[in-house]
Amino acid sequence: MTEEIIIAGFGGQGVLSMGKILAYSGIMQDQEVSWMPSYGPEMRGGTANVTVIVSDERISSPVLNQYDTAIILNQQSMDKFEKTVKPGGLLLYDPNGIVHHPTRTDINIYKIEGARLASELGNAKIFNMIVLGAYLKIKPIVKYENVVRGLKKSLPERYHKLIPMNEAALQKGMENPVPVNTL
Amino acid sequence: MGELKLMKGNEAIAEAAIREGVDAYFGYPITPQSEVIEYLMMEKPHERTGMVVLQAESELAAINMVYGAASVGRKVFTSSSSPGISLYQEGISYIAGAELPCVIANVVRGGPGLGTIQPSQADYFQTVKGGGHGDYRLFTLAPSSVQEMADFIELGFEIAFKYRNPVMILSDGMIGQMMEKVELKDQKPRWSADEIKAMHGSWATIGKPESRERNIITSLDLDPHKQEKHNHHLQAKYRQMEKEEVRYETFDTDDAEYLIVAYGSSARIAQKTIMLAREKGIKVGLLRPITLYPFPEKPLAELASRMKGVLSVEMSAGQMVEDVRLAVGCSDIPVEHFGRYGGVIHSPDEVLEALEQKIIGGK
């Protein structure tokens, strides 16, 4: 199994940390992982993206131009990454702020109302965990218990009191992905 | 098995330096390498091992602090990125001339000038062909994973002290910024004063006993005959490195008809290219130089002799390709370069397209 993922959105949405938790989850079940962030001018301009690969085999290139899954959290990223999903792949997006919705018919498209659900739960910061939950519901590439272990590994000890809240967000996300186009 | 962590290349090299028992780090922050000094500051290695971590006032100061600490037989490490490494060059030449060990890491960014903070491999010439003045050679290791960022600290110091020569770890913004699984070695104790005296007392400036003349660290000798003799000695060391220290790795070369030569991050990208090519029935293999100086010219010549063409892939306008051509020699097969540069990373598809157009189509 090799899953090649791009997660893209605004800086501050937790794009990089979502990728990090996913990567740690892979390590928890003895898989190979890579996490390659954008760290350049586009990051300073407000958008952020990270390429995460989780695989049973040794990972070759950590940078790619086609992905099994694109998790898209703003319009700029939709414009840039919708076309990079491999045919038959997955596009998961939050419709909040999206004007031009995805139109491809050769990929699976789901939406998750991460921003709305996060504000309903009363904490905008758990937005990324809701989205991650939705993704793992559609593609359970890592076991849930390993995500929680990954969360513990990637969070500094002083934030471990926040783990129950993050778990609640993951659960919320798992309950709420909405299919838009399924093959 | 050691401790498993998910780390950036920059963090892994910093942690590996602490665990290696390095005595001192001197540096000055620059993107995309700043996490090295940031990590060292946060980890407070003076509490763990007594290691000194100092942010110098400039790169010029940092490299001369390295020169000083290396003179007393200590393990010294420094890191920077391209523009900062340019400022190091005078110091590196002096360190090589004075025959001192140290490990330097360059997390290369796009140039020339201040360039960009994005990854590049355009410092190949600077690293393996000189950089500073005079007939010296910089032993160069090219990591292609976060694991190797950590591992090459130990290997780098082993070579630096074996040959009393500076060692460069040449990575780039991609290897420095990406996170991968890394297995860390156990903590080594720092050398004691007695150990340094026993191992390096013959040259290090650690106090003069009655039994010998004083040890002098210098790169200056105004007598040209003595200076020539010193240069002969340096050259003999370099020939020994070329004979004994070449390191490289090959992938899928057994049945290959075409060969890609790539190091560091380009070697990672090229491995994906090879997978894509083989899906299309094109038999490609990879030679990855691990040491850029000494360059694996013999294994490359041998492999190339049974290939229909060779593509050198590097994030530059074409630097390593000169060494690839020298190694392949006057053969009828095409030897070409491909690479995006100025901070742009080539994709595996682009490398495949270049292989098809420049090598397979061009034969």
Side-chain angles (χ1 to χ4, degrees):
Chain A
M1 190 283 296
T2 297
E3 171 80 350
E4 298 171 334
I5 310 151
I6 180 97
I7 310 171
F10 287 119
Q13 279 179 316
V15 165
L16 299 186
S17 57
M18 192 195 319
K20 195 173 165 185
I21 292 159
L22 192 56
Y24 253 122
S25 313
I27 291 184
M28 292 301 130
Q29 48 189 51
D30 286 331
Q31 285 172 305
E32 298 299 321
V33 299
S34 73
W35 177 96
M36 178 70 209
S38 61
Y39 66 93
E42 71 267 43
M43 184 175 131
R44 283 148 174 86
T47 67
N49 70 67
V50 61
T51 304
V52 177
I53 306 175
V54 180
S55 179
D56 296 330
E57 285 151 47
R58 178 174 160 162
I59 292 166
S60 56
S61 177
V63 291
L64 302 162
N65 50 354
Q66 279 206 310
Y67 308 92
D68 299 307
T69 294
I71 299 176
I72 294 176
L73 305 172
N74 66 9
Q75 185 63 54
Q76 289 97 314
S77 304
M78 184 68 81
D79 297 341
K80 195 167 168 192
F81 294 112
E82 180 185 357
K83 56 181 175 287
T84 64
V85 179
K86 292 178 196 169
L90 167 68
L91 190 161
L92 171 68
Y93 75 106
D94 186 331
N96 180 41
I98 298 289
V99 185
H100 306 291
H101 288 256
T103 54
R104 281 178 63 177
T105 52
D106 62 336
I107 56 173
N108 291 298
I109 301 175
Y110 285 77
K111 55 184 179 179
I112 173 73
E113 301 231 20
R116 186 176 61 77
L117 293 167
S119 74
E120 278 174 25
L121 285 174
N123 189 341
K125 284 184 184 163
I126 52 167
F127 163 76
N128 61 345
M129 298 307 290
I130 295 174
V131 177
L132 181 61
Y135 165 66
L136 292 171
K137 175 71 185 176
I138 305 162
K139 273 197 176 177
I141 58 158
V142 282
K143 287 203 186 108
Y144 181 76
E145 69 249 36
N146 289 326
V147 181
V148 178
R149 287 170 68 204
L151 196 59
K152 279 187 186 137
K153 267 285 217 185
S154 71
L155 278 178
E157 201 105 342
R158 64 183 183 278
Y159 293 128
H160 278 195
K161 59 179 188 290
L162 302 176
I163 286 174
M165 190 170 70
N166 279 280
E167 277 202 68
L170 276 170
Q171 294 289 355
K172 194 80 175 169
M174 291 178 121
E175 290 158 13
N176 283 290
V178 179
V180 177
N181 183 59
T182 52
L183 300 176
Chain B
M1 196 156 123
E3 196 182 342
L4 263 189
K5 283 196 163 190
L6 181 70
M7 292 181 119
K8 285 190 170 195
N10 287 337
E11 296 166 341
I13 204 170
E15 177 61 33
I18 301 172
R19 291 181 186 225
E20 171 64 17
V22 166
D23 296 292
Y25 172 92
F26 305 107
Y28 188 82
I30 179 170
T31 309
Q33 165 280 159
S34 296
E35 290 87 356
V36 180
I37 192 167
E38 281 169 13
Y39 184 92
L40 288 170
M41 290 287 179
M42 297 227 291
E43 275 299 310
K44 297 186 188 149
H46 56 278
E47 288 175 6
R48 282 170 61 180
T49 67
M51 175 185 177
V52 170
V53 179
L54 187 83
Q55 180 178 329
E57 68 269 36
S58 71
E59 284 88 351
L60 298 183
I63 194 67
N64 282 291
M65 289 173 183
V66 171
Y67 189 8
S71 301
V72 294
R74 294 283 176 179
K75 283 186 184 169
V76 204
F77 174 49
T78 184
S79 62
S80 188
S81 178
S82 309
I85 296 288
S86 290
L87 290 166
Y88 277 9
Q89 294 305 326
E90 181 197 42
I92 293 172
S93 172
Y94 279 49
I95 291 167
E99 295 198 81
L100 294 175
C102 68
V103 175
I104 305 159
N106 183 359
V107 183
V108 180
R109 58 190 252 178
L114 276 176
T116 169
I117 60 174
Q118 296 292 330
S120 163
Q121 296 180 307
D123 293 1
Y124 180 90
F125 281 157
Q126 182 195 52
T127 311
V128 306
K129 305 289 178 194
H133 58 281
D135 270 325
Y136 77 93
R137 292 295 202 154
L138 191 52
F139 193 97
T140 306
L141 291 162
S144 78
S145 63
V146 173
Q147 184 67 53
E148 282 187 341
M149 283 291 260
D151 293 347
F152 287 177
I153 282 285
E154 185 179 41
L155 177 61
F157 276 105
E158 190 188 308
I159 288 168
F161 276 91
K162 180 175 174 189
Y163 293 94
R164 278 173 58 199
N165 201 67
V167 169
M168 175 67 83
I169 298 176
L170 189 73
S171 73
D172 61 63
M174 182 171 133
I175 304 286
Q177 292 294 327
M178 71 191 258
M179 285 204 285
E180 287 186 308
K181 198 154 75 172
V182 54
E183 188 183 336
L184 295 162
K185 299 216 163 69
D186 294 335
Q187 179 69 52
K188 283 189 202 170
R190 287 173 51 229
W191 287 334
S192 67
D194 285 343
E195 284 173 309
I196 292 174
K197 202 164 156 189
M199 289 184 292
H200 312 306
S202 63
W203 57 268
T205 49
I206 48 174
K208 179 190 171 301
E210 294 284 320
S211 55
R212 62 158 168 80
E213 288 301 299
R214 81 186 41 166
N215 289 337
I216 298 173
I217 303 289
T218 180
S219 63
L220 175 73
D221 200 328
L222 290 175
D223 179 340
H225 297 289
K226 281 192 188 162
Q227 190 58 258
E228 188 186 41
K229 203 176 150 207
H230 175 59
N231 266 281
H232 283 158
H233 164 68
L234 293 179
Q235 292 301 317
K237 273 200 322 196
Y238 303 143
R239 294 301 88 75
Q240 192 191 341
M241 286 180 192
E242 288 161 11
K243 217 171 117 193
E244 294 175 13
E245 305 295 349
V246 169
R247 286 167 172 80
Y248 66 97
E249 198 179 18
T250 57
F251 294 90
D252 288 346
T253 49
D254 287 350
D255 64 341
E257 296 177 342
Y258 302 96
L259 185 69
I260 294 176
V261 184
Y263 65 91
S265 45
S266 280
R268 295 288 294 272
I269 295 162
Q271 283 170 52
K272 182 85 184 181
T273 302
I274 289 168
M275 285 164 59
L276 298 172
R278 284 180 175 265
E279 281 168 19
K280 290 174 87 172
I282 305 167
K283 289 179 181 164
V284 200
L286 171 71
L287 183 142
R288 173 172 83 93
I290 294 172
T291 52
L292 298 180
Y293 176 79
F295 192 73
E297 47 195 20
K298 277 191 190 139
L300 171 53
E302 210 177 282
L303 264 178
S305 70
R306 41 187 180 88
M307 299 290 164
K308 292 181 187 166
V310 178
L311 185 68
S312 174
V313 179
E314 183 184 48
M315 287 187 278
S316 77
Q319 300 190 12
M320 182 181 66
V321 67
E322 293 191 3
D323 285 334
V324 173
R325 286 201 173 108
L326 279 173
V328 175
C330 300
S331 148
D332 289 337
I333 62 167
V335 180
E336 298 292 342
H337 161 79
F338 173 73
R340 301 288 302 268
Y341 48 101
V344 179
I345 306 174
H346 31 242
S347 71
D349 294 349
E350 286 174 318
V351 176
L352 178 56
E353 207 179 296
L355 181 78
E356 288 177 311
Q357 284 175 5
K358 292 185 163 194
I359 304 295
I360 301 172
K363 73 184 165 187

